[in-house]
Amino acid sequence: MPERDAPDDDATVTAASGGRRDRGALEAAVLALFADTAEALTVSEVQARLGGTSAYTTVMTTLARLHRKGALNRQRRGKAFAYTVAAPPQAVEDAIVARRMRELLEGRTDRGEVLTRFVAELDPTDEQLLTRILHQLDHRNQPPDQP
Amino acid sequence: MTIVVTGVVVAVAASLVLPITARHAGRRLPPAALVPLLTATALTAAACLGFMLCALALAVAARENPLAATGHWSPTILRHLLPVPTALGLTAGIIVGVLAGSAAWRVLTTSRALLHAEHLARNLPPQGSTVIDDEIPDAYTLAGIQGRIVITTAMLRALRPEEQRVLYAHEHSHLRHRHHLYLQLTRIAATANPLLRPLVAIVRHGIERWADEDAVRAVGNRRTVAAAIARAGLARARAQRTNAATPRLALGGADHGTADRVAALLATPSQPHPRIAFAMMGLLLVALLTSLATTALTVHTTFERAEQHTLISTH
C-alpha cells in the first residue's frame, strides 16, 4: 500500500524510534547499509538487513525522511517503495552534519548559544543598504580601467 | 535596614544604567575590551542584586523561630538593627527564589548545550574547520572544548579568495577567545537579574565586532572585511528567498547586527573618549562592589551582635 510510505512527521518518528539520538544512529546505520549496496531496497528488506532490531514503521519513517532530505531516491515497486542511495556517502554525511547543525541553530537561540554565525539575518532595508555599500566597495577596489 | 535597602537601590540603578553605558561605551571601546568588561559588570550586578534580596529575606527569616534558634540569634536585636518589614522580606525572598531558580536552570541548559556541541564536534573531522557541501551559504563556529568551524561550499563560492580569509580569521577568533562564554555568562547574569537583558544583544554584537576586528588584523584591510560580511549576508538573504528551506534564526529580522558591523568597519576608527567610557564602566563596577562589600560587612556584624547578645543574655 502506498500510504504505508505516507509522509511522516517528526512527532511520530521520535515516538517510534525513542528519541533523536536513536534516530540519528538509525539514519547512520541505514546510510551505511546503502553505501555497501547498489540495489534498490524496500522497507522490509532494509529492516531485515538491519537485523530486525528496528520496528517496521521506524525503518519506514527513517527511509521516508532520508528521501525527503535528498539522501535517498525512491521508486514504486509493487505495493511499496524501493530506495536507492541518491548521493555519494560523503555528500550524505555532509548533509546530515548540516542538518544537525541547523537543528542546533533553529529556534534554539535560547538554549545555550553554542553556535555563532558569521552573518545574521538581513531585513529588506539592510539588504538594500549592503547591496549599495558592496557595490561601492567593489567599484573602489577594482582597477580604474574596469567597469 | 537602610544599608540593605540602599544596596538594593544601587544594584537596581546600576543594572538600569549599565545597558545605557554599554551602548555609549560600545561606540568608544575596542570590542576586545568592551565585552569582558560588560560580562564582568553584568555578573557583578546580578550577584549584587541577588545578595541584597537574600539579605532582606534573611533579616526577616532569621528572627522567626526555627532559624533564630539554629543560629542563636536574638529576634529582638535583629528586629532592632535590621528593621525589615516582614512583607518586604517575604517579597524579596520570593523574588530571589524565582530568579535564582531560573538562573540555575539557565546554567543547566547552557551546560547541556555545551555538552551537545562537544558531542557534535567530536563527530566532525578533527581539523579546526569543516567544509560541508550545501547549497545554502552559511558559516558558523560551534562552541566547545575543541570547537569547530563549519562552512558550506555555497558560502565559499559566494566569497572572493581574500574574503574567505576574512571568514576563517573571523571564526578562528571566536574559537580562540572562547567568545561563546562571554555570551553565555551574560545570558546567565541577565536571567538572574532581568534588568540586564538588553546587555545580551550588546554582548552578542560585541563578540561579532571583536572577531571582525581580529579579521582586520589578519587581512590588513577594513574594506575587505566589510565586503566579506556584506557579500556573505547578501548571499544568505538571496538563498533565503529562493530556497524556502533555508533555516531562519529566531532572533533574525529584529537585529541589524550585520549592517551595523559593516558600518562600524567602514567608519573612520575615531574613538574620541575611550577614557570616559572606561571610567563610566569602572565607576559602575566600583559602585556595585562597594555596595556589595559594605552590605555584606554590615549584615555580618549585625548577625554577630545579635548572636553575642543572645549568648550574654542566656548566661
Side-chain angles (χ1 to χ4, degrees), chain B:
Chain B
M1 158 75 177
T2 39
I3 188 95
V4 184
V5 172
T6 315
V8 174
V9 171
V10 169
V12 167
S15 310
L16 287 171
V17 171
L18 188 55
I20 304 166
T21 318
R23 274 185 210 104
H24 170 90
R27 291 188 294 269
R28 286 163 182 84
L29 294 185
L34 176 78
V35 170
L37 202 54
L38 273 185
T39 308
T41 319
L43 286 171
T44 314
C48 201
L49 184 69
F51 178 80
M52 301 303 169
L53 292 174
C54 276
L56 282 178
L58 186 66
V60 168
R63 63 194 186 210
E64 298 308 323
N65 216 347
L67 202 58
T70 338
H72 302 293
W73 294 307
S74 148
T76 330
I77 304 283
L78 275 183
R79 211 183 302 270
H80 176 69
L81 290 175
L82 280 175
V84 180
T86 310
L88 181 65
L90 276 178
T91 316
I94 291 167
I95 294 175
V96 79
V98 169
L99 292 180
S102 41
W105 180 250
R106 171 69 63 190
V107 171
L108 200 72
T109 45
T110 305
S111 321
R112 243 189 355 221
L114 275 174
L115 278 176
H116 183 51
E118 189 61 28
H119 178 74
L120 270 180
R122 274 164 210 266
N123 286 340
L124 291 175
Q127 72 269 21
S129 58
T130 305
V131 175
I132 56 172
D133 191 13
D134 199 283
E135 75 282 8
I136 299 157
D138 213 348
Y140 33 80
T141 297
L142 181 63
I145 296 162
Q146 325 171 56
R148 286 288 189 278
I149 294 165
V150 179
I151 301 170
T152 66
T153 43
M155 177 59 92
L156 288 179
R157 272 199 303 273
L159 299 177
R160 297 174 176 185
E162 75 272 20
E163 292 167 357
Q164 295 178 0
R165 277 184 60 213
V166 171
L167 173 58
Y168 282 109
H170 175 102
E171 302 298 337
H172 273 294
S173 166
H174 281 326
L175 279 189
R176 201 171 51 245
H177 300 299
R178 306 217 173 267
H179 282 160
H180 63 96
L181 285 180
Y182 295 104
L183 187 55
Q184 287 165 338
L185 287 174
T186 308
R187 172 74 85 173
I188 289 164
T191 312
N193 178 348
L195 298 171
L196 301 171
R197 256 179 220 164
L199 283 184
V200 176
I202 299 175
V203 168
R204 184 183 288 122
H205 184 67
I207 58 176
E208 294 305 328
R209 287 277 307 116
W210 184 346
D212 288 346
E213 292 299 331
D214 279 355
V216 168
R217 262 187 291 282
V219 300
N221 187 341
R222 301 186 78 81
R223 288 212 301 268
T224 309
V225 178
I229 296 164
R231 216 183 303 278
L234 289 171
R236 223 181 117 63
R238 253 193 308 276
Q240 220 150 50
R241 262 196 309 277
T242 51
N243 188 342
T246 311
R248 282 166 187 281
L249 266 182
L251 68 102
D255 80 316
H256 302 275
T258 307
D260 288 348
R261 282 161 60 198
V262 172
L265 284 161
L266 294 176
T268 38
S270 65
Q271 294 176 341
H273 302 297
R275 278 188 201 153
I276 295 179
F278 266 124
M280 279 166 66
M281 295 289 298
L283 204 65
L284 273 180
L285 205 52
V286 168
L288 283 167
L289 288 172
T290 312
S291 132
L292 196 60
T294 46
T295 314
L297 202 65
T298 312
V299 170
H300 180 74
T301 43
T302 304
F303 272 83
E304 249 179 7
R305 279 168 70 188
E307 192 178 5
Q308 275 167 5
H309 195 90
T310 327
L311 288 175
I312 293 160
S313 62
T314 48
H315 287 164

